[in-house]
Amino acid sequence: MKQRLFTPGPTPLPEEVRLAQAKEIVHHRGKEFAEIFKEVRQGLKDVFQTKEEVFVFTTSGTGAMEAAVANLLSSGDRVLVIRGGKFGERWAEIATAFGVQVIPLDVEWGSAPDPGLIKKKLTAHQEIKAVFTQLVETSTGVVYDIKAIAEVLRTTEAILVVDAISGLGAQSLPTHEWRIDVVIGGSQKALMIPPGLAFVTLSPKTWSFVENSNCPRYYWDFKKVRKALDKNQTPYTPAVSLICALRESLRLLRKEGWENVLARHARLAEATRKAALALGLKIFSKVPSNVVTAIEVPSQIDANELRTMMQDGYGVEVAGGQEELAGKIIRIAHLGWMDGSDMIAAVSSLEISLLNLGCPVTLGKGVAAAEKVLRE
Ligand SMILES: *Cc1c(COP(=O)(O)O)cnc(C)c1O
């Protein structure tokens, strides 16, 4: 059976990307790679909407999150962590591992943080060095108001560190314009390449934090990366084939046009939400993202059974809930190389599977609602 991937990473790969990886390897200090890397560096600046360099690390996204903590802080520093889901928790865990003291701002799962509360915390704890947040908390499907959060930080000395790993390329994030200090991205989400690369960009202000940080690091050292970039290189052997794939995906995205890429994600997200609502289902996220739609599953059904039915019966693989949401929600991604027909397939399999499991849905209702959005 044909399998279709609707998980919020990894996401499906365009053929150009798959073929780019299949080519013979080139040496990472050679002429050919230099050209590829130069193009990728420029392309990444466009993605991050910044004039600053974007560092490329060979790692999944979490490695770049750890790199940010290790390069920006010192043991004993205090940071504010927005904890509204699994990835917010991850920030807290990484910081704790480096002896950094976490002041959490706990947000009910499914909700977005209130910038006013962030301001309060920063006023009450003037010693806070950095605020760690997500752009999209993938575990709950919620998008955070980074623009407003960045504005709150402007009156302080603290830096804002945004895990935009799932959101980058799916939600607008003008790093320079919004004056975000640190943005982190990953390869296996909207950028349409396999897992294995992560990206970090830093504002000029952030470098004083790097200078003062005493956390241990070797492979993740931002200063080494910056120095190697002077020679258009990475300090160590990069994942050459993934960077070749990235060049292709960046070309495809540039050809589509960034405005269009973002508009496509917004349209597919809306179609998916409208479909779920038409089927009488509830959207779990109070501020739903364009990355992934988290849908509450009717209480008489186990979400994992629904997922199995969708995958085994119809070749549609969606994500489940994490931790406390396991068995309660499904998450349908519309991330990366996706179009309207893909979403129709996902919604169709959802309808049929719900009906198979004894849920009183009318076949076609969700599909019709999605089609209406896609036709507009
Ligand atoms: C996918 C993702 C990550 C990174 O996870 P890895 O498995 O390390 O790639 C981090 N944050 C968010 C919000 C994500 O969606």
Side-chain angles (χ1 to χ4, degrees):
M1 192 194 303
K2 185 169 176 180
Q3 294 293 319
R4 295 176 172 86
L5 197 55
F6 293 90
T7 53
T11 60
L13 308 176
E15 187 174 32
E16 291 89 335
V17 169
R18 278 182 272 146
L19 291 176
Q21 286 183 100
K23 288 196 178 148
E24 178 61 293
I25 202 80
V26 295
H27 192 260
H28 59 288
R29 307 289 184 215
K31 235 170 44 191
E32 201 178 334
F33 184 75
E35 247 172 60
I36 295 167
F37 195 50
K38 196 170 145 215
E39 184 178 333
V40 162
R41 282 171 68 186
Q42 183 53 51
L44 286 171
K45 287 182 185 176
D46 298 341
V47 180
F48 280 78
Q49 300 183 56
T50 178
K51 293 192 285 279
E52 302 303 321
E53 286 296 338
V54 179
F55 298 171
V56 179
F57 285 104
T58 301
T59 171
S60 83
T62 307
M65 293 170 77
E66 174 161 337
V69 172
N71 279 273
L72 301 174
L73 299 162
S74 299
S75 160
D77 279 351
R78 305 190 95 186
V79 298
L80 182 66
V81 173
I82 314 298
R83 224 162 43 174
K86 191 173 138 68
F87 292 102
E89 285 178 357
R90 187 167 299 175
W91 270 137
E93 286 162 13
I94 296 170
T96 304
F98 281 87
V100 170
Q101 287 185 36
V102 172
I103 300 173
L105 181 75
D106 283 318
V107 178
E108 195 194 345
W109 285 38
S111 295
D114 171 1
L117 290 180
I118 297 174
K119 191 173 183 142
K120 263 195 189 153
K121 287 266 188 194
L122 287 170
T123 310
H125 299 276
Q126 305 260 342
E127 73 280 13
I128 287 173
K129 283 258 174 81
V131 177
F132 287 85
T133 183
Q134 270 63 44
L135 167 59
V136 172
E137 175 48 85
T138 319
S139 63
T140 62
V142 174
V143 60
Y144 294 174
D145 187 351
I146 297 300
K147 188 178 182 205
I149 296 173
E151 265 160 28
V152 165
L153 265 88
R154 256 179 231 176
T155 55
T156 73
E157 291 298 307
I159 49 169
L160 178 60
V161 185
V162 180
D163 160 10
I165 292 169
S166 64
L168 193 81
Q171 306 273 170
S172 177
L173 187 71
T175 302
H176 177 76
E177 191 190 320
W178 289 358
R179 292 202 246 164
I180 309 166
D181 299 294
V182 183
V183 179
I184 296 168
S187 56
Q188 78 272 30
K189 314 248 169 157
L191 293 186
M192 319 188 294
I193 70 169
L197 294 182
F199 316 103
V200 185
T201 190
L202 306 179
S203 72
K205 170 184 168 185
T206 311
W207 282 99
S208 68
F209 284 69
V210 179
E211 293 300 334
N212 292 322
S213 151
N214 72 6
C215 282
R217 62 211 182 228
Y218 184 86
Y219 186 76
W220 304 117
D221 195 329
F222 286 169
K223 284 205 249 177
K224 280 193 202 124
V225 178
R226 182 172 61 173
K227 197 158 164 240
L229 277 178
D230 290 340
K231 291 191 289 177
N232 188 36
Q233 288 186 0
T234 54
Y236 314 106
T237 314
V240 172
S241 302
L242 286 174
I243 290 175
C244 294
L246 180 58
R247 174 168 71 165
E248 288 310 317
S249 76
L250 291 173
R251 281 179 176 178
L252 290 170
L253 292 165
R254 190 178 339 118
K255 204 164 142 202
E256 183 177 353
W258 280 105
E259 293 284 313
N260 298 332
V261 171
L262 294 174
R264 172 167 54 83
H265 282 89
R267 190 168 60 247
L268 300 185
E270 199 199 338
T272 308
R273 287 194 298 270
K274 288 274 163 68
L277 293 171
L279 291 169
L281 304 172
K282 273 210 209 126
I283 305 298
F284 175 74
S285 328
K286 300 223 168 72
V287 191
S289 70
N290 296 336
V291 165
V292 62
T293 296
I295 300 170
E296 289 179 27
V297 168
S299 55
Q300 73 268 29
I301 292 180
D302 178 355
N304 290 328
E305 228 178 292
L306 176 62
R307 284 172 57 221
T308 306
M309 171 81 68
M310 289 171 75
Q311 180 165 15
D312 294 354
Y314 308 97
V316 166
E317 185 170 2
V318 301
Q322 292 160 295
E323 295 184 22
E324 60 198 64
L325 295 176
K328 299 198 179 118
I329 63 167
I330 60 165
R331 292 176 300 144
I332 305 179
H334 16 73
L335 184 58
W337 195 50
M338 291 276 174
D339 62 16
S341 302
D342 290 320
M343 298 328 295
I344 293 294
V347 170
S348 161
S349 87
L350 173 63
E351 294 183 343
I352 304 173
S353 302
L354 281 169
L355 191 63
N356 289 352
L357 291 171
C359 221
V361 297
T362 311
L363 287 182
K365 250 191 157 174
V367 167
E371 283 172 346
K372 210 166 153 237
V373 174
L374 296 172
R375 189 165 175 264
E376 273 160 17

